[in-house]
């Protein structure tokens, strides 16, 4: 059963799309090329999903392409685990929607001279099916980036600085006062070239020297006060191995990677607004022969009851507040996927919140409603009892099985049914019984009647307890004339509850996930760990209707009256089924 919608949503509209549409109308570019450029220092989260869908969405809407490119310039914090997880997350999120826009390069290759947008361009054409491929990476361009740095030195636009990292910070000044020029700023071109070559050769220890741009130490924009271009770091890189001991800084590598790949629209979040002048400065001061990419900024996604700082998410993992980056309580894309949330629901949500220039907090209920809306259409209905109490239907003989027709999905235009077994002994939810009921209680109570959904009306006659006073079973009479086709099928009662046959059910572990934090802005006071929800996970052994024994990983289910559920793709096995609650049927936190 597919979990993707069959009808694509109409293209949204926002200020960035309006800019791109204007460029397309004026035929500024032969092809729209965007990119999604994560740093491989953690797992992707729901905030990244907004950027993915924006970049791939724009490429999709204009028959363009989007490069998955790792900005892997800091090997001290990067791991191949993150590269693999990010690649899987992006492919999952765009599959069947914009996967034709996703571009990889031939594995192990370096950029080849191609024609893109009518200009000579370092860009790899789409990889043919079956070709061994890998995502783009800034590390693939290290040789070219080094040559560009040499060119900046030759143009008098960069110099080797001997200040320590701490001294560089001190010399930079503050927003309310200008910085101070490095005493090494006016080295000759020849000396700078010699020192930079020796830096590359590994002659100096970490932090001994750096390559800095020569811009303006009095600029009101702190990012233009001679920012670093290269630093010494004797650390092996997951992609290039031990080849390099100097690594480019993000702001330097990012704009040039965009240029080398023929990116037309470099779309990023608002914190990079102040970086844009540096982005432009690097490109403009190299005398590059082709039209340059341009950076556009939008507001990142801030979601209630959630944190998306990679550093803080890593802390949750390392301190065992969760069971890994892909824990279904985490806001990571891996966690959302494991929880059973369809990619189509994530796309619908991030598209629905829109693209603006203003930071705001999106209520988590908006996300949860998007998930429910999607699953309501996709999910097959099934009967399950999470916290069972036994009911004996005394007028059904032992061993007799009465078949009942149950609807698979009432949202289907041509809805189908399945058979469920009604037997002498069934299980109902313990919450659906009250020995001393409150006012207006319409579920099972002494002397009261309820309807077993798809079956018949039952009446409670007797409560059986053990010596300690604990209830062991409820003894009821089934009005079999109220079954489908019976003479009294239309007899009304106020309560309807779910159930499963005691002899025709299966046991399964069910993990009841809830929000990881119990306040809307868990990091507002800087003490996010104090707001972790201690009840974010409850594990029960449930009774499920027998048909769920053949559930598949791609299936999505609504356990009637309980919520939406899916098999756990990591821990579940045929010998031990484990279901995750994807989301409840309604916002229980609103109460």
């Amino acid at each position: 059963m597919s979990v993707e919608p069959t009808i694509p949503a109409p293209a949204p509209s926002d200020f960035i799309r309006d800019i791109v549409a204007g460029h397309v109308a004026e035929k500024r570019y032969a092809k729209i090329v965007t990119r999604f450029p994560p740093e491989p220092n953690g797992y992707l989260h729901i905030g990244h999903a907004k950027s993915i869908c924006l970049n791939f969405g724009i490429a999709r809407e204009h028959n363009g392409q989007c490069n998955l490119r790792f900005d892997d310039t800091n090997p001290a914090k990067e791991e191949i685990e993150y590269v693999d997880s990010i690649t899987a997350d992006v492919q999952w999120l765009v599959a069947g929607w914009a996967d034709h826009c996703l571009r990889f390069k031939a594995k192990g290759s370096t950029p080849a001279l191609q024609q893109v947008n009518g200009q000579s361009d370092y860009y790899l054409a789409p990889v043919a099916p079956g070709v061994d491929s890998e995502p783009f990476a800034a590390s693939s361009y290290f040789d070219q980036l080094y040559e560009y740095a040499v060119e900046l030195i030759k143009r008098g636009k960069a110099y080797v600085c001997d200040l320590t990292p701490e001294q560089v910070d001190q010399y930079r000044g503050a927003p309310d006062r200008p910085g101070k020029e490095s005493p090494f700023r006016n080295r000759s071109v020849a000396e700078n070239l010699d020192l930079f070559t020796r830096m590359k050769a590994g002659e100096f220890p970490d932090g001994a020297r750096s390559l800095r741009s020569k811009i303006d130490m009095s600029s009101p924009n702190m990012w233009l006060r001679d920012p670093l271009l290269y630093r010494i770091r004797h650390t092996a890189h997951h992609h290039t191995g031990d080849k390099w001991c100097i690594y480019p800084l993000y702001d330097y590598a990012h704009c040039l990677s965009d240029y080398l790949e023929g990116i037309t629209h470099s779309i990023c979040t608002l914190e990079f607004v102040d970086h844009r002048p540096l982005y432009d400065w690097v490109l403009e001061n190299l005398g590059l022969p082709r039209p340059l990419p341009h950076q556009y900024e939008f507001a990142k996604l801030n979601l209630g009851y959630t944190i998306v700082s990679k550093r803080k998410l890593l802390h949750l993992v390392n301190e065992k507040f969760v069971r890994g980056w892909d824990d279904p309580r985490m806001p990571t894309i891996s966690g959302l996927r494991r929880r059973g949330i369809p990619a189509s629901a994530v796309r619908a949500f991030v598209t629905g919140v829109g693209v603006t220039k203003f930071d705001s907090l999106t209520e988590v209920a908006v996300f949860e409603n998007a998930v429910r809306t999607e699953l309501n259409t996709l999910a097959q209905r099934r009967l399950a009892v999470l916290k069972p109490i036994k009911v004996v239907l005394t007028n059904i003989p032992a061993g007799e099985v009465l078949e009942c027709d149950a609807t698979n999905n009432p949202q289907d235009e041509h809805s189908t049914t399945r058979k469920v077994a009604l037997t002498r002994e069934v299980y109902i939810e313990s919450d659906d019984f009250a020995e001393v009921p409150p006012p207006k209680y319409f579920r099972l109570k002494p002397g009261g009647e309820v309807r077993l959904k798809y079956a018949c009306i039952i009446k409670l006659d007797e409560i059986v307890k053990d010596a300690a006073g604990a209830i062991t079973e409820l003894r009821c009479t089934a009005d079999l004339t109220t079954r489908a086709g019976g003479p009294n099928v239309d007899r009304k009662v106020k309560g309807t509850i779910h159930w499963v046959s005691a002899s025709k059910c299966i046991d399964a572990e069910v993990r009841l996930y809830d929000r990881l934090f119990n306040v809307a802005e868990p990091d507002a006071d800087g003490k996010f760990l104090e707001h972790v929800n201690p009840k974010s996970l409850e594990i029960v052994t449930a009774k499920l209707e027998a048909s769920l024994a053949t559930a598949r990983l791609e299936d999505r289910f609504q356990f009637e009256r309980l919520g939406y559920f899916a098999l756990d793709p990591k821990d579940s096995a045929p010998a031990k089924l484990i279901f995750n609650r994807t989301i409840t049927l309604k916002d229980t936190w609103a109460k």
Side-chain angles (χ1 to χ4, degrees), residues 267 275 335 478 504:
I267 303 168
H275 298 239
K504 302 290 184 180

Side-chain angles (χ1 to χ4, degrees), residues 36 43-50 52 85 88-90 92-93 325-326 330-339 341 346:
F36 174 65
Y43 279 53
L44 298 183
H45 53 65
I46 185 67
H48 292 113
K50 180 177 179 179
I52 293 170
S85 72
D89 287 345
V90 171
W92 172 76
L93 190 57
W325 283 97
D326 65 346
M330 290 279 273
T332 57
I333 294 178
S334 295
L336 300 177
R337 179 167 72 250
R338 184 175 174 187
R339 190 162 177 162
I341 294 175
V346 177

Side-chain angles (χ1 to χ4, degrees), residues 100 131 146 164 177 331 353 359 384 398 455 514 523 572:
H100 63 285
V131 173
Y146 177 81
T164 67
R177 69 177 190 275
V353 297
D359 285 324
D514 217 324
D523 201 31
S572 190

Side-chain angles (χ1 to χ4, degrees), residues 9-22 50 53-54 57-58 61-62 298 350-357:
S13 177
D14 54 66
F15 78 97
I16 292 181
R17 283 182 165 88
D18 291 343
I19 291 171
V20 176
K50 180 177 179 179
C53 290
L54 178 58
I58 288 173
E61 291 150 22
H62 297 285
F298 68 98
V350 298
T351 301
V353 297
V355 177
T356 70
K357 295 182 179 181

Side-chain angles (χ1 to χ4, degrees), residues 80 83-84 103-111 124-128 130-137 140 238-239:
I80 194 65
V83 172
D84 293 341
R103 290 297 183 265
F104 291 87
K105 66 184 184 68
K107 193 168 186 178
S109 69
T110 54
L124 281 167
V127 176
V131 173
D132 195 11
S133 61
E134 60 186 2
F136 292 87
S140 297
H238 68 271
H239 189 200

